[in-house]
Amino acid sequence: MFKNTLQEIADRTEGCLDVLIIGLDGIIVERVRQKKAEFANFDIIIAEYTSLIRKTKQIGNDTELGGLSEMTISNGNAVFVLRLVSEDYFLTLVLASDGNFGRGRYELRRAELLLENEFVI
């Protein structure tokens, strides 16, 4: 089910380079990489962003702002949209800088709702 859901996100989002489900421990659970992104190695970047997500979650809890739901990190050539789907897992969409950001966010939210029962313990 994960692979199909990620493939739908990739197919529906213009400029999609990579879609992943990742644990907060940095381990990739599932991935759909577009052919145009085969040159790029996002794994190191995503591992670093995982620690950023953990820290940001903690700050939100410590300051009583509430739980983290989504983060966007924009670099020169790529945009990373990270959406938590449970306490321990998040979806990551990597877009080309000119990709369809709004559609990507919509597709991640849709996937979160489709997958929420898969992450219930």
Side-chain angles (χ1 to χ4, degrees), residues 18-85:
D18 213 352
V19 186
L20 309 96
I21 297 174
I22 306 168
L24 285 178
D25 55 5
I27 296 173
I28 297 171
V29 174
E30 190 66 78
R31 161 186 254 156
V32 171
R33 177 178 282 179
Q34 299 295 80
K35 287 195 184 291
K36 59 190 166 202
E38 289 177 351
F39 68 91
N41 184 359
F42 298 120
D43 295 5
I44 295 169
I45 297 166
I46 290 168
E48 292 297 326
Y49 289 163
T50 299
S51 64
L52 181 63
I53 288 173
R54 285 194 309 266
K55 184 67 174 170
T56 304
K57 272 184 67 173
Q58 187 62 47
I59 291 169
N61 292 333
D62 290 350
T63 59
E64 299 181 9
L65 285 174
L68 176 66
S69 59
E70 183 179 284
M71 282 179 67
T72 301
I73 302 166
S74 182
N75 299 101
N77 294 320
V79 177
F80 294 78
V81 185
L82 310 122
R83 181 152 195 97
L84 274 76
V85 293

Side-chain angles (χ1 to χ4, degrees), residues 84-102:
L84 274 76
V85 293
S86 75
E87 285 295 313
D88 299 314
Y89 296 94
F90 62 97
L91 289 163
T92 299
L93 172 64
V94 183
L95 291 168
S97 59
D98 61 348
N100 190 336
F101 176 71

